[in-house]
PDB file of all heavy atoms in Angstrom:
ATOM      1  N   GLN A 758      22.339  -2.698  24.547  1.00 79.00           N
ATOM      2  CA  GLN A 758      23.094  -1.731  23.754  1.00 79.00           C
ATOM      3  C   GLN A 758      23.689  -2.381  22.511  1.00 79.00           C
ATOM      4  O   GLN A 758      23.671  -1.803  21.422  1.00 79.00           O
ATOM      5  CB  GLN A 758      24.201  -1.116  24.614  1.00 79.00           C
ATOM      6  CG  GLN A 758      23.687  -0.176  25.699  1.00 79.00           C
ATOM      7  CD  GLN A 758      24.777   0.289  26.635  1.00 79.00           C
ATOM      8  OE1 GLN A 758      25.839  -0.330  26.750  1.00 79.00           O
ATOM      9  NE2 GLN A 758      24.525   1.394  27.330  1.00 79.00           N
ATOM     10  N   LYS A 759      24.201  -3.608  22.669  1.00 80.00           N
ATOM     11  CA  LYS A 759      24.775  -4.325  21.532  1.00 80.00           C
ATOM     12  C   LYS A 759      23.700  -4.657  20.501  1.00 80.00           C
ATOM     13  O   LYS A 759      23.949  -4.610  19.292  1.00 80.00           O
ATOM     14  CB  LYS A 759      25.477  -5.598  22.010  1.00 80.00           C
ATOM     15  CG  LYS A 759      26.791  -5.344  22.753  1.00 80.00           C
ATOM     16  CD  LYS A 759      27.493  -6.629  23.098  1.00 80.00           C
ATOM     17  CE  LYS A 759      28.846  -6.358  23.740  1.00 80.00           C
ATOM     18  NZ  LYS A 759      29.559  -7.614  24.107  1.00 80.00           N
ATOM     19  N   ALA A 760      22.503  -5.009  20.997  1.00 79.00           N
ATOM     20  CA  ALA A 760      21.402  -5.328  20.082  1.00 79.00           C
ATOM     21  C   ALA A 760      20.993  -4.097  19.282  1.00 79.00           C
ATOM     22  O   ALA A 760      20.724  -4.183  18.078  1.00 79.00           O
ATOM     23  CB  ALA A 760      20.217  -5.872  20.871  1.00 79.00           C
ATOM     24  N   ILE A 761      20.956  -2.942  19.945  1.00 80.00           N
ATOM     25  CA  ILE A 761      20.602  -1.692  19.272  1.00 80.00           C
ATOM     26  C   ILE A 761      21.654  -1.352  18.213  1.00 80.00           C
ATOM     27  O   ILE A 761      21.328  -0.964  17.087  1.00 80.00           O
ATOM     28  CB  ILE A 761      20.470  -0.550  20.293  1.00 80.00           C
ATOM     29  CG1 ILE A 761      19.241  -0.778  21.176  1.00 80.00           C
ATOM     30  CG2 ILE A 761      20.364   0.797  19.583  1.00 80.00           C
ATOM     31  CD1 ILE A 761      19.123   0.194  22.330  1.00 80.00           C
ATOM     32  N   GLU A 762      22.933  -1.509  18.569  1.00 80.00           N
ATOM     33  CA  GLU A 762      24.012  -1.222  17.628  1.00 80.00           C
ATOM     34  C   GLU A 762      23.954  -2.167  16.434  1.00 80.00           C
ATOM     35  O   GLU A 762      24.165  -1.754  15.288  1.00 80.00           O
ATOM     36  CB  GLU A 762      25.361  -1.347  18.333  1.00 80.00           C
ATOM     37  CG  GLU A 762      25.612  -0.243  19.372  1.00 80.00           C
ATOM     38  CD  GLU A 762      26.831  -0.503  20.218  1.00 80.00           C
ATOM     39  OE1 GLU A 762      27.514  -1.534  19.981  1.00 80.00           O
ATOM     40  OE2 GLU A 762      27.125   0.305  21.118  1.00 80.00           O
ATOM     41  N   ALA A 763      23.668  -3.440  16.716  1.00 77.00           N
ATOM     42  CA  ALA A 763      23.568  -4.420  15.625  1.00 77.00           C
ATOM     43  C   ALA A 763      22.407  -4.086  14.695  1.00 77.00           C
ATOM     44  O   ALA A 763      22.527  -4.195  13.473  1.00 77.00           O
ATOM     45  CB  ALA A 763      23.391  -5.829  16.205  1.00 77.00           C
ATOM     46  N   GLU A 764      21.293  -3.666  15.292  1.00 78.00           N
ATOM     47  CA  GLU A 764      20.117  -3.298  14.486  1.00 78.00           C
ATOM     48  C   GLU A 764      20.420  -2.094  13.598  1.00 78.00           C
ATOM     49  O   GLU A 764      20.008  -2.049  12.442  1.00 78.00           O
ATOM     50  CB  GLU A 764      18.939  -2.984  15.404  1.00 78.00           C
ATOM     51  CG  GLU A 764      17.636  -2.741  14.661  1.00 78.00           C
ATOM     52  CD  GLU A 764      16.461  -2.540  15.587  1.00 78.00           C
ATOM     53  OE1 GLU A 764      16.607  -2.778  16.804  1.00 78.00           O
ATOM     54  OE2 GLU A 764      15.387  -2.147  15.100  1.00 78.00           O
ATOM     55  N   LYS A 765      21.176  -1.128  14.145  1.00 76.00           N
ATOM     56  CA  LYS A 765      21.552   0.048  13.359  1.00 76.00           C
ATOM     57  C   LYS A 765      22.440  -0.352  12.185  1.00 76.00           C
ATOM     58  O   LYS A 765      22.282   0.158  11.066  1.00 76.00           O
ATOM     59  CB  LYS A 765      22.286   1.054  14.240  1.00 76.00           C
ATOM     60  CG  LYS A 765      21.388   1.794  15.220  1.00 76.00           C
ATOM     61  CD  LYS A 765      22.189   2.777  16.058  1.00 76.00           C
ATOM     62  CE  LYS A 765      21.294   3.541  17.027  1.00 76.00           C
ATOM     63  NZ  LYS A 765      22.087   4.474  17.889  1.00 76.00           N
ATOM     64  N   ARG A 766      23.375  -1.289  12.441  1.00 76.00           N
ATOM     65  CA  ARG A 766      24.266  -1.750  11.361  1.00 76.00           C
ATOM     66  C   ARG A 766      23.471  -2.486  10.285  1.00 76.00           C
ATOM     67  O   ARG A 766      23.721  -2.318   9.093  1.00 76.00           O
ATOM     68  CB  ARG A 766      25.360  -2.657  11.925  1.00 76.00           C
ATOM     69  CG  ARG A 766      26.410  -1.918  12.749  1.00 76.00           C
ATOM     70  CD  ARG A 766      27.645  -2.773  12.949  1.00 76.00           C
ATOM     71  NE  ARG A 766      27.362  -3.957  13.736  1.00 76.00           N
ATOM     72  CZ  ARG A 766      27.437  -4.018  15.066  1.00 76.00           C
ATOM     73  NH1 ARG A 766      27.769  -2.942  15.749  1.00 76.00           N
ATOM     74  NH2 ARG A 766      27.182  -5.134  15.708  1.00 76.00           N
ATOM     75  N   ILE A 767      22.497  -3.295  10.734  1.00 70.00           N
ATOM     76  CA  ILE A 767      21.668  -4.040   9.777  1.00 70.00           C
ATOM     77  C   ILE A 767      20.845  -3.084   8.925  1.00 70.00           C
ATOM     78  O   ILE A 767      20.738  -3.245   7.708  1.00 70.00           O
ATOM     79  CB  ILE A 767      20.749  -5.027  10.522  1.00 70.00           C
ATOM     80  CG1 ILE A 767      21.586  -6.155  11.135  1.00 70.00           C
ATOM     81  CG2 ILE A 767      19.692  -5.603   9.586  1.00 70.00           C
ATOM     82  CD1 ILE A 767      20.799  -7.065  12.064  1.00 70.00           C
ATOM     83  N   CYS A 768      20.278  -2.059   9.580  1.00 66.00           N
ATOM     84  CA  CYS A 768      19.484  -1.069   8.845  1.00 66.00           C
ATOM     85  C   CYS A 768      20.344  -0.331   7.828  1.00 66.00           C
ATOM     86  O   CYS A 768      19.916  -0.078   6.704  1.00 66.00           O
ATOM     87  CB  CYS A 768      18.860  -0.069   9.820  1.00 66.00           C
ATOM     88  SG  CYS A 768      17.509  -0.750  10.803  1.00 66.00           S
ATOM     89  N   ALA A 769      21.584   0.009   8.240  1.00 65.00           N
ATOM     90  CA  ALA A 769      22.489   0.721   7.333  1.00 65.00           C
ATOM     91  C   ALA A 769      22.840  -0.157   6.138  1.00 65.00           C
ATOM     92  O   ALA A 769      22.869   0.309   4.993  1.00 65.00           O
ATOM     93  CB  ALA A 769      23.749   1.140   8.076  1.00 65.00           C
ATOM     94  N   LEU A 770      23.094  -1.457   6.407  1.00 62.00           N
ATOM     95  CA  LEU A 770      23.438  -2.383   5.324  1.00 62.00           C
ATOM     96  C   LEU A 770      22.236  -2.615   4.406  1.00 62.00           C
ATOM     97  O   LEU A 770      22.392  -2.726   3.190  1.00 62.00           O
ATOM     98  CB  LEU A 770      23.910  -3.715   5.910  1.00 62.00           C
ATOM     99  CG  LEU A 770      25.289  -3.703   6.579  1.00 62.00           C
ATOM    100  CD1 LEU A 770      25.550  -5.028   7.276  1.00 62.00           C
ATOM    101  CD2 LEU A 770      26.383  -3.423   5.549  1.00 62.00           C
ATOM    102  N   THR A 771      21.041  -2.699   5.016  1.00 64.00           N
ATOM    103  CA  THR A 771      19.823  -2.894   4.221  1.00 64.00           C
ATOM    104  C   THR A 771      19.595  -1.713   3.292  1.00 64.00           C
ATOM    105  O   THR A 771      19.276  -1.871   2.107  1.00 64.00           O
ATOM    106  CB  THR A 771      18.596  -3.066   5.145  1.00 64.00           C
ATOM    107  OG1 THR A 771      18.813  -4.199   5.987  1.00 64.00           O
ATOM    108  CG2 THR A 771      17.334  -3.271   4.334  1.00 64.00           C
ATOM    109  N   GLU A 772      19.768  -0.494   3.845  1.00 64.00           N
ATOM    110  CA  GLU A 772      19.588   0.715   3.031  1.00 64.00           C
ATOM    111  C   GLU A 772      20.653   0.785   1.933  1.00 64.00           C
ATOM    112  O   GLU A 772      20.348   1.146   0.785  1.00 64.00           O
ATOM    113  CB  GLU A 772      19.686   1.949   3.922  1.00 64.00           C
ATOM    114  CG  GLU A 772      19.390   3.244   3.189  1.00 64.00           C
ATOM    115  CD  GLU A 772      19.382   4.441   4.120  1.00 64.00           C
ATOM    116  OE1 GLU A 772      19.392   4.242   5.347  1.00 64.00           O
ATOM    117  OE2 GLU A 772      19.378   5.576   3.602  1.00 64.00           O
ATOM    118  N   GLU A 773      21.881   0.414   2.291  1.00 63.00           N
ATOM    119  CA  GLU A 773      22.963   0.431   1.299  1.00 63.00           C
ATOM    120  C   GLU A 773      22.689  -0.576   0.187  1.00 63.00           C
ATOM    121  O   GLU A 773      22.891  -0.297  -0.996  1.00 63.00           O
ATOM    122  CB  GLU A 773      24.292   0.094   2.000  1.00 63.00           C
ATOM    123  CG  GLU A 773      25.495   0.117   1.084  1.00 63.00           C
ATOM    124  CD  GLU A 773      26.783  -0.223   1.820  1.00 63.00           C
ATOM    125  OE1 GLU A 773      26.827  -0.026   3.046  1.00 63.00           O
ATOM    126  OE2 GLU A 773      27.725  -0.686   1.166  1.00 63.00           O
ATOM    127  N   ASN A 774      22.189  -1.768   0.583  1.00 60.00           N
ATOM    128  CA  ASN A 774      21.881  -2.798  -0.403  1.00 60.00           C
ATOM    129  C   ASN A 774      20.731  -2.362  -1.303  1.00 60.00           C
ATOM    130  O   ASN A 774      20.756  -2.586  -2.520  1.00 60.00           O
ATOM    131  CB  ASN A 774      21.512  -4.102   0.317  1.00 60.00           C
ATOM    132  CG  ASN A 774      21.267  -5.248  -0.646  1.00 60.00           C
ATOM    133  OD1 ASN A 774      22.141  -5.601  -1.428  1.00 60.00           O
ATOM    134  ND2 ASN A 774      20.075  -5.815  -0.600  1.00 60.00           N
ATOM    135  N   GLU A 775      19.724  -1.704  -0.680  1.00 58.00           N
ATOM    136  CA  GLU A 775      18.581  -1.230  -1.468  1.00 58.00           C
ATOM    137  C   GLU A 775      19.018  -0.159  -2.468  1.00 58.00           C
ATOM    138  O   GLU A 775      18.592  -0.165  -3.625  1.00 58.00           O
ATOM    139  CB  GLU A 775      17.512  -0.658  -0.532  1.00 58.00           C
ATOM    140  CG  GLU A 775      16.277  -0.160  -1.265  1.00 58.00           C
ATOM    141  CD  GLU A 775      15.261   0.439  -0.317  1.00 58.00           C
ATOM    142  OE1 GLU A 775      15.211   0.003   0.846  1.00 58.00           O
ATOM    143  OE2 GLU A 775      14.535   1.348  -0.741  1.00 58.00           O
ATOM    144  N   THR A 776      19.898   0.745  -2.011  1.00 56.00           N
ATOM    145  CA  THR A 776      20.410   1.791  -2.901  1.00 56.00           C
ATOM    146  C   THR A 776      21.177   1.171  -4.062  1.00 56.00           C
ATOM    147  O   THR A 776      21.048   1.604  -5.215  1.00 56.00           O
ATOM    148  CB  THR A 776      21.335   2.749  -2.118  1.00 56.00           C
ATOM    149  OG1 THR A 776      20.586   3.333  -1.049  1.00 56.00           O
ATOM    150  CG2 THR A 776      21.874   3.847  -3.017  1.00 56.00           C
ATOM    151  N   LEU A 777      21.977   0.130  -3.775  1.00 53.00           N
ATOM    152  CA  LEU A 777      22.745  -0.547  -4.827  1.00 53.00           C
ATOM    153  C   LEU A 777      21.814  -1.252  -5.805  1.00 53.00           C
ATOM    154  O   LEU A 777      22.017  -1.196  -7.022  1.00 53.00           O
ATOM    155  CB  LEU A 777      23.703  -1.557  -4.181  1.00 53.00           C
ATOM    156  CG  LEU A 777      24.604  -2.344  -5.149  1.00 53.00           C
ATOM    157  CD1 LEU A 777      25.501  -1.389  -5.934  1.00 53.00           C
ATOM    158  CD2 LEU A 777      25.441  -3.359  -4.392  1.00 53.00           C
ATOM    159  N   GLU A 778      20.781  -1.895  -5.278  1.00 55.00           N
ATOM    160  CA  GLU A 778      19.827  -2.589  -6.150  1.00 55.00           C
ATOM    161  C   GLU A 778      19.133  -1.611  -7.094  1.00 55.00           C
ATOM    162  O   GLU A 778      18.924  -1.904  -8.272  1.00 55.00           O
ATOM    163  CB  GLU A 778      18.787  -3.331  -5.300  1.00 55.00           C
ATOM    164  CG  GLU A 778      19.328  -4.565  -4.605  1.00 55.00           C
ATOM    165  CD  GLU A 778      18.258  -5.250  -3.776  1.00 55.00           C
ATOM    166  OE1 GLU A 778      17.225  -4.603  -3.488  1.00 55.00           O
ATOM    167  OE2 GLU A 778      18.452  -6.416  -3.408  1.00 55.00           O
ATOM    168  N   ILE A 779      18.772  -0.444  -6.532  1.00 51.00           N
ATOM    169  CA  ILE A 779      18.113   0.559  -7.367  1.00 51.00           C
ATOM    170  C   ILE A 779      19.067   1.070  -8.434  1.00 51.00           C
ATOM    171  O   ILE A 779      18.706   1.237  -9.602  1.00 51.00           O
ATOM    172  CB  ILE A 779      17.604   1.724  -6.486  1.00 51.00           C
ATOM    173  CG1 ILE A 779      16.474   1.219  -5.581  1.00 51.00           C
ATOM    174  CG2 ILE A 779      17.115   2.888  -7.347  1.00 51.00           C
ATOM    175  CD1 ILE A 779      16.073   2.200  -4.512  1.00 51.00           C
ATOM    176  N   ALA A 780      20.323   1.330  -8.012  1.00 53.00           N
ATOM    177  CA  ALA A 780      21.325   1.833  -8.964  1.00 53.00           C
ATOM    178  C   ALA A 780      21.571   0.835 -10.087  1.00 53.00           C
ATOM    179  O   ALA A 780      21.811   1.212 -11.232  1.00 53.00           O
ATOM    180  CB  ALA A 780      22.628   2.141  -8.237  1.00 53.00           C
ATOM    181  N   LEU A 781      21.500  -0.451  -9.756  1.00 52.00           N
ATOM    182  CA  LEU A 781      21.729  -1.491 -10.757  1.00 52.00           C
ATOM    183  C   LEU A 781      20.436  -1.928 -11.446  1.00 52.00           C
ATOM    184  O   LEU A 781      20.442  -2.822 -12.284  1.00 52.00           O
ATOM    185  CB  LEU A 781      22.385  -2.716 -10.086  1.00 52.00           C
ATOM    186  CG  LEU A 781      23.774  -2.480  -9.478  1.00 52.00           C
ATOM    187  CD1 LEU A 781      24.254  -3.738  -8.772  1.00 52.00           C
ATOM    188  CD2 LEU A 781      24.771  -2.057 -10.557  1.00 52.00           C
ATOM    189  N   ASN A 782      19.332  -1.290 -11.051  1.00 59.00           N
ATOM    190  CA  ASN A 782      18.025  -1.593 -11.641  1.00 59.00           C
ATOM    191  C   ASN A 782      17.587  -3.032 -11.370  1.00 59.00           C
ATOM    192  O   ASN A 782      16.972  -3.686 -12.208  1.00 59.00           O
ATOM    193  CB  ASN A 782      18.022  -1.327 -13.149  1.00 59.00           C
ATOM    194  CG  ASN A 782      16.604  -1.122 -13.691  1.00 59.00           C
ATOM    195  OD1 ASN A 782      15.696  -0.805 -12.935  1.00 59.00           O
ATOM    196  ND2 ASN A 782      16.435  -1.316 -14.986  1.00 59.00           N
ATOM    197  N   THR A 783      17.928  -3.561 -10.165  1.00 60.00           N
ATOM    198  CA  THR A 783      17.518  -4.925  -9.809  1.00 60.00           C
ATOM    199  C   THR A 783      16.528  -4.932  -8.642  1.00 60.00           C
ATOM    200  O   THR A 783      16.086  -5.993  -8.212  1.00 60.00           O
ATOM    201  CB  THR A 783      18.748  -5.774  -9.417  1.00 60.00           C
ATOM    202  OG1 THR A 783      19.407  -5.153  -8.295  1.00 60.00           O
ATOM    203  CG2 THR A 783      19.712  -5.909 -10.576  1.00 60.00           C
ATOM    204  N   SER A 784      16.178  -3.751  -8.162  1.00 68.00           N
ATOM    205  CA  SER A 784      15.263  -3.668  -7.022  1.00 68.00           C
ATOM    206  C   SER A 784      13.846  -4.038  -7.426  1.00 68.00           C
ATOM    207  O   SER A 784      13.407  -3.765  -8.542  1.00 68.00           O
ATOM    208  CB  SER A 784      15.276  -2.243  -6.447  1.00 68.00           C
ATOM    209  OG  SER A 784      14.274  -2.097  -5.463  1.00 68.00           O
ATOM    210  N   LEU A 785      13.126  -4.676  -6.484  1.00 73.00           N
ATOM    211  CA  LEU A 785      11.715  -4.999  -6.713  1.00 73.00           C
ATOM    212  C   LEU A 785      10.813  -3.918  -6.114  1.00 73.00           C
ATOM    213  O   LEU A 785       9.589  -4.030  -6.178  1.00 73.00           O
ATOM    214  CB  LEU A 785      11.380  -6.354  -6.082  1.00 73.00           C
ATOM    215  CG  LEU A 785      12.117  -7.560  -6.677  1.00 73.00           C
ATOM    216  CD1 LEU A 785      11.710  -8.836  -5.952  1.00 73.00           C
ATOM    217  CD2 LEU A 785      11.842  -7.680  -8.172  1.00 73.00           C
ATOM    218  N   GLN A 786      11.423  -2.884  -5.555  1.00 83.00           N
ATOM    219  CA  GLN A 786      10.658  -1.786  -4.961  1.00 83.00           C
ATOM    220  C   GLN A 786      10.618  -0.555  -5.870  1.00 83.00           C
ATOM    221  O   GLN A 786       9.740   0.278  -5.736  1.00 83.00           O
ATOM    222  CB  GLN A 786      11.270  -1.396  -3.604  1.00 83.00           C
ATOM    223  CG  GLN A 786      11.312  -2.530  -2.594  1.00 83.00           C
ATOM    224  CD  GLN A 786       9.936  -3.084  -2.286  1.00 83.00           C
ATOM    225  OE1 GLN A 786       8.973  -2.330  -2.133  1.00 83.00           O
ATOM    226  NE2 GLN A 786       9.815  -4.404  -2.232  1.00 83.00           N
ATOM    227  N   PHE A 787      11.609  -0.438  -6.765  1.00 85.00           N
ATOM    228  CA  PHE A 787      11.675   0.676  -7.715  1.00 85.00           C
ATOM    229  C   PHE A 787      11.765   0.126  -9.138  1.00 85.00           C
ATOM    230  O   PHE A 787      12.493  -0.836  -9.385  1.00 85.00           O
ATOM    231  CB  PHE A 787      12.898   1.553  -7.423  1.00 85.00           C
ATOM    232  CG  PHE A 787      12.701   2.522  -6.292  1.00 85.00           C
ATOM    233  CD1 PHE A 787      12.681   2.084  -4.975  1.00 85.00           C
ATOM    234  CD2 PHE A 787      12.543   3.882  -6.531  1.00 85.00           C
ATOM    235  CE1 PHE A 787      12.503   2.962  -3.921  1.00 85.00           C
ATOM    236  CE2 PHE A 787      12.364   4.778  -5.493  1.00 85.00           C
ATOM    237  CZ  PHE A 787      12.343   4.323  -4.182  1.00 85.00           C
ATOM    238  N   PHE A 788      11.036   0.763 -10.064  1.00 87.00           N
ATOM    239  CA  PHE A 788      11.023   0.305 -11.456  1.00 87.00           C
ATOM    240  C   PHE A 788      11.218   1.487 -12.404  1.00 87.00           C
ATOM    241  O   PHE A 788      10.583   2.523 -12.250  1.00 87.00           O
ATOM    242  CB  PHE A 788       9.676  -0.368 -11.783  1.00 87.00           C
ATOM    243  CG  PHE A 788       9.517  -1.731 -11.204  1.00 87.00           C
ATOM    244  CD1 PHE A 788       9.202  -1.899  -9.859  1.00 87.00           C
ATOM    245  CD2 PHE A 788       9.694  -2.853 -11.993  1.00 87.00           C
ATOM    246  CE1 PHE A 788       9.045  -3.159  -9.319  1.00 87.00           C
ATOM    247  CE2 PHE A 788       9.543  -4.132 -11.462  1.00 87.00           C
ATOM    248  CZ  PHE A 788       9.222  -4.285 -10.112  1.00 87.00           C
ATOM    249  N   THR A 789      12.107   1.288 -13.385  1.00 85.00           N
ATOM    250  CA  THR A 789      12.181   2.245 -14.492  1.00 85.00           C
ATOM    251  C   THR A 789      11.001   1.942 -15.411  1.00 85.00           C
ATOM    252  O   THR A 789      10.335   0.901 -15.288  1.00 85.00           O
ATOM    253  CB  THR A 789      13.480   2.079 -15.282  1.00 85.00           C
ATOM    254  OG1 THR A 789      13.498   0.763 -15.864  1.00 85.00           O
ATOM    255  CG2 THR A 789      14.702   2.264 -14.396  1.00 85.00           C
ATOM    256  N   VAL A 790      10.730   2.833 -16.363  1.00 87.00           N
ATOM    257  CA  VAL A 790       9.621   2.601 -17.297  1.00 87.00           C
ATOM    258  C   VAL A 790       9.882   1.342 -18.118  1.00 87.00           C
ATOM    259  O   VAL A 790       8.987   0.495 -18.294  1.00 87.00           O
ATOM    260  CB  VAL A 790       9.428   3.815 -18.225  1.00 87.00           C
ATOM    261  CG1 VAL A 790       8.364   3.512 -19.279  1.00 87.00           C
ATOM    262  CG2 VAL A 790       9.039   5.056 -17.427  1.00 87.00           C
ATOM    263  N   ALA A 791      11.140   1.214 -18.614  1.00 84.00           N
ATOM    264  CA  ALA A 791      11.472   0.051 -19.446  1.00 84.00           C
ATOM    265  C   ALA A 791      11.335  -1.246 -18.662  1.00 84.00           C
ATOM    266  O   ALA A 791      10.808  -2.251 -19.162  1.00 84.00           O
ATOM    267  CB  ALA A 791      12.893   0.199 -19.988  1.00 84.00           C
ATOM    268  N   LYS A 792      11.804  -1.232 -17.408  1.00 83.00           N
ATOM    269  CA  LYS A 792      11.732  -2.435 -16.580  1.00 83.00           C
ATOM    270  C   LYS A 792      10.278  -2.794 -16.260  1.00 83.00           C
ATOM    271  O   LYS A 792       9.893  -3.970 -16.301  1.00 83.00           O
ATOM    272  CB  LYS A 792      12.521  -2.202 -15.286  1.00 83.00           C
ATOM    273  CG  LYS A 792      12.500  -3.378 -14.315  1.00 83.00           C
ATOM    274  CD  LYS A 792      13.287  -3.009 -13.063  1.00 83.00           C
ATOM    275  CE  LYS A 792      13.136  -4.065 -11.993  1.00 83.00           C
ATOM    276  NZ  LYS A 792      13.837  -3.696 -10.753  1.00 83.00           N
ATOM    277  N   TYR A 793       9.455  -1.782 -15.950  1.00 87.00           N
ATOM    278  CA  TYR A 793       8.045  -2.031 -15.652  1.00 87.00           C
ATOM    279  C   TYR A 793       7.340  -2.573 -16.894  1.00 87.00           C
ATOM    280  O   TYR A 793       6.525  -3.509 -16.805  1.00 87.00           O
ATOM    281  CB  TYR A 793       7.376  -0.733 -15.193  1.00 87.00           C
ATOM    282  CG  TYR A 793       6.010  -0.944 -14.575  1.00 87.00           C
ATOM    283  CD1 TYR A 793       5.866  -1.127 -13.205  1.00 87.00           C
ATOM    284  CD2 TYR A 793       4.855  -0.968 -15.374  1.00 87.00           C
ATOM    285  CE1 TYR A 793       4.621  -1.323 -12.633  1.00 87.00           C
ATOM    286  CE2 TYR A 793       3.612  -1.161 -14.823  1.00 87.00           C
ATOM    287  CZ  TYR A 793       3.495  -1.348 -13.446  1.00 87.00           C
ATOM    288  OH  TYR A 793       2.257  -1.554 -12.897  1.00 87.00           O
TER     289      TYR A 793
END
């Protein structure tokens, strides 16, 4: 149960970090036209 909860927290943090990277235009998964 603790492992599942930890995995959920990691996934939430990963998604939050990815959203922040995209918002700051630093993500390697999303590109604006200018950045590409």
Side-chain angles (χ1 to χ4, degrees):
Q758 290 173 340
K759 288 185 176 179
I761 291 172
E762 291 170 2
E764 186 176 350
K765 287 180 179 178
R766 288 196 295 271
I767 291 171
C768 288
L770 288 172
T771 301
E772 185 175 349
E773 182 180 336
N774 184 58
E775 181 182 330
T776 301
L777 181 61
E778 287 180 343
I779 293 170
L781 297 176
N782 201 21
T783 59
S784 172
L785 296 179
Q786 301 301 318
F787 280 74
F788 285 78
T789 63
V790 175
K792 179 181 172 183
Y793 193 92

